[in-house]
Amino acid sequence: MRGSLERLTPVLMTALVAAFALTPLLLAADAPGKEILHPVAVVIFGGLVCSTLLGALPTPMLFWLFGEKATKRLTQPEPNSSDGVAGTQEAY
């Protein structure tokens, strides 16, 4: 969860700047020469919105729900230790 909070600001800044740059193409659909660029801008803008929302909301929530067990298993000390002291296992 901490990683998603740290990455939220750069992801939002990137998506907002790209959406801001696409605004003239989105609003000028009837302008001459924009017949091909307008649909492309709509698709790119929709992809930015979807990927930003999916990256910010459901992905961290699903990882928190389903990845908590695996994370705990990786960070728990090993039960079988030769000297009786539990070793630590690093997760990369």
mmCIF file with all atom_site columns, all heavy atoms in Angstrom, residues 17 26 36 39 42 60-61 72:
data_model
loop_
_atom_site.group_PDB
_atom_site.id
_atom_site.type_symbol
_atom_site.label_atom_id
_atom_site.label_alt_id
_atom_site.label_comp_id
_atom_site.label_asym_id
_atom_site.label_entity_id
_atom_site.label_seq_id
_atom_site.pdbx_PDB_ins_code
_atom_site.Cartn_x
_atom_site.Cartn_y
_atom_site.Cartn_z
_atom_site.occupancy
_atom_site.B_iso_or_equiv
_atom_site.pdbx_formal_charge
_atom_site.auth_seq_id
_atom_site.auth_comp_id
_atom_site.auth_asym_id
_atom_site.auth_atom_id
_atom_site.pdbx_PDB_model_num
ATOM 1  N N   . VAL A 1 17 ? -1.091  15.736  -17.345 1.00 0.00 ? 17 VAL A N   1
ATOM 2  C CA  . VAL A 1 17 ? -0.383  16.503  -18.380 1.00 0.00 ? 17 VAL A CA  1
ATOM 3  C C   . VAL A 1 17 ? -0.716  15.961  -19.767 1.00 0.00 ? 17 VAL A C   1
ATOM 4  O O   . VAL A 1 17 ? -0.954  16.725  -20.707 1.00 0.00 ? 17 VAL A O   1
ATOM 5  C CB  . VAL A 1 17 ? 1.139   16.491  -18.116 1.00 0.00 ? 17 VAL A CB  1
ATOM 6  C CG1 . VAL A 1 17 ? 1.915   16.987  -19.318 1.00 0.00 ? 17 VAL A CG1 1
ATOM 7  C CG2 . VAL A 1 17 ? 1.457   17.338  -16.905 1.00 0.00 ? 17 VAL A CG2 1
ATOM 8  N N   . LEU A 1 26 ? -9.481  16.838  -28.481 1.00 0.00 ? 26 LEU A N   1
ATOM 9  C CA  . LEU A 1 26 ? -10.778 16.333  -28.035 1.00 0.00 ? 26 LEU A CA  1
ATOM 10 C C   . LEU A 1 26 ? -11.905 17.331  -28.281 1.00 0.00 ? 26 LEU A C   1
ATOM 11 O O   . LEU A 1 26 ? -13.019 16.942  -28.625 1.00 0.00 ? 26 LEU A O   1
ATOM 12 C CB  . LEU A 1 26 ? -10.724 15.988  -26.542 1.00 0.00 ? 26 LEU A CB  1
ATOM 13 C CG  . LEU A 1 26 ? -9.887  14.784  -26.155 1.00 0.00 ? 26 LEU A CG  1
ATOM 14 C CD1 . LEU A 1 26 ? -9.748  14.702  -24.644 1.00 0.00 ? 26 LEU A CD1 1
ATOM 15 C CD2 . LEU A 1 26 ? -10.498 13.525  -26.703 1.00 0.00 ? 26 LEU A CD2 1
ATOM 16 N N   . ILE A 1 36 ? -9.016  12.462  -38.472 1.00 0.00 ? 36 ILE A N   1
ATOM 17 C CA  . ILE A 1 36 ? -8.265  11.261  -38.104 1.00 0.00 ? 36 ILE A CA  1
ATOM 18 C C   . ILE A 1 36 ? -7.712  11.377  -36.688 1.00 0.00 ? 36 ILE A C   1
ATOM 19 O O   . ILE A 1 36 ? -7.680  10.397  -35.940 1.00 0.00 ? 36 ILE A O   1
ATOM 20 C CB  . ILE A 1 36 ? -7.114  11.017  -39.113 1.00 0.00 ? 36 ILE A CB  1
ATOM 21 C CG1 . ILE A 1 36 ? -7.706  10.719  -40.485 1.00 0.00 ? 36 ILE A CG1 1
ATOM 22 C CG2 . ILE A 1 36 ? -6.217  9.890   -38.656 1.00 0.00 ? 36 ILE A CG2 1
ATOM 23 C CD1 . ILE A 1 36 ? -6.682  10.590  -41.579 1.00 0.00 ? 36 ILE A CD1 1
ATOM 24 N N   . PRO A 1 39 ? -10.450 10.731  -33.223 1.00 0.00 ? 39 PRO A N   1
ATOM 25 C CA  . PRO A 1 39 ? -10.668 9.387   -32.650 1.00 0.00 ? 39 PRO A CA  1
ATOM 26 C C   . PRO A 1 39 ? -9.439  8.834   -31.936 1.00 0.00 ? 39 PRO A C   1
ATOM 27 O O   . PRO A 1 39 ? -9.568  8.148   -30.915 1.00 0.00 ? 39 PRO A O   1
ATOM 28 C CB  . PRO A 1 39 ? -11.018 8.529   -33.858 1.00 0.00 ? 39 PRO A CB  1
ATOM 29 C CG  . PRO A 1 39 ? -11.480 9.479   -34.895 1.00 0.00 ? 39 PRO A CG  1
ATOM 30 C CD  . PRO A 1 39 ? -10.753 10.750  -34.636 1.00 0.00 ? 39 PRO A CD  1
ATOM 31 N N   . VAL A 1 42 ? -9.340  10.448  -28.545 1.00 0.00 ? 42 VAL A N   1
ATOM 32 C CA  . VAL A 1 42 ? -10.360 9.889   -27.656 1.00 0.00 ? 42 VAL A CA  1
ATOM 33 C C   . VAL A 1 42 ? -9.891  8.557   -27.076 1.00 0.00 ? 42 VAL A C   1
ATOM 34 O O   . VAL A 1 42 ? -10.037 8.295   -25.883 1.00 0.00 ? 42 VAL A O   1
ATOM 35 C CB  . VAL A 1 42 ? -11.699 9.734   -28.404 1.00 0.00 ? 42 VAL A CB  1
ATOM 36 C CG1 . VAL A 1 42 ? -12.695 8.934   -27.579 1.00 0.00 ? 42 VAL A CG1 1
ATOM 37 C CG2 . VAL A 1 42 ? -12.271 11.095  -28.757 1.00 0.00 ? 42 VAL A CG2 1
ATOM 38 N N   . PRO A 1 60 ? -3.975  -2.007  -6.007  1.00 0.00 ? 60 PRO A N   1
ATOM 39 C CA  . PRO A 1 60 ? -3.475  -2.123  -4.633  1.00 0.00 ? 60 PRO A CA  1
ATOM 40 C C   . PRO A 1 60 ? -4.444  -2.847  -3.703  1.00 0.00 ? 60 PRO A C   1
ATOM 41 O O   . PRO A 1 60 ? -4.029  -3.592  -2.818  1.00 0.00 ? 60 PRO A O   1
ATOM 42 C CB  . PRO A 1 60 ? -3.287  -0.671  -4.177  1.00 0.00 ? 60 PRO A CB  1
ATOM 43 C CG  . PRO A 1 60 ? -3.221  0.123   -5.407  1.00 0.00 ? 60 PRO A CG  1
ATOM 44 C CD  . PRO A 1 60 ? -4.014  -0.604  -6.429  1.00 0.00 ? 60 PRO A CD  1
ATOM 45 N N   . MET A 1 61 ? -5.750  -2.649  -3.926  1.00 0.00 ? 61 MET A N   1
ATOM 46 C CA  . MET A 1 61 ? -6.730  -3.318  -3.081  1.00 0.00 ? 61 MET A CA  1
ATOM 47 C C   . MET A 1 61 ? -6.693  -4.834  -3.293  1.00 0.00 ? 61 MET A C   1
ATOM 48 O O   . MET A 1 61 ? -6.735  -5.598  -2.326  1.00 0.00 ? 61 MET A O   1
ATOM 49 C CB  . MET A 1 61 ? -8.138  -2.797  -3.388  1.00 0.00 ? 61 MET A CB  1
ATOM 50 C CG  . MET A 1 61 ? -9.179  -3.365  -2.472  1.00 0.00 ? 61 MET A CG  1
ATOM 51 S SD  . MET A 1 61 ? -10.882 -2.809  -2.730  1.00 0.00 ? 61 MET A SD  1
ATOM 52 C CE  . MET A 1 61 ? -10.830 -1.708  -4.071  1.00 0.00 ? 61 MET A CE  1
ATOM 53 N N   . LYS A 1 72 ? 3.199   -12.376 4.125   1.00 0.00 ? 72 LYS A N   1
ATOM 54 C CA  . LYS A 1 72 ? 3.494   -12.843 5.490   1.00 0.00 ? 72 LYS A CA  1
ATOM 55 C C   . LYS A 1 72 ? 4.352   -14.094 5.462   1.00 0.00 ? 72 LYS A C   1
ATOM 56 O O   . LYS A 1 72 ? 5.251   -14.254 6.281   1.00 0.00 ? 72 LYS A O   1
ATOM 57 C CB  . LYS A 1 72 ? 2.189   -13.115 6.241   1.00 0.00 ? 72 LYS A CB  1
ATOM 58 C CG  . LYS A 1 72 ? 1.496   -11.876 6.704   1.00 0.00 ? 72 LYS A CG  1
ATOM 59 C CD  . LYS A 1 72 ? 0.264   -12.211 7.499   1.00 0.00 ? 72 LYS A CD  1
ATOM 60 C CE  . LYS A 1 72 ? -0.437  -10.938 7.939   1.00 0.00 ? 72 LYS A CE  1
ATOM 61 N NZ  . LYS A 1 72 ? -1.655  -11.224 8.693   1.00 0.00 ? 72 LYS A NZ  1
#
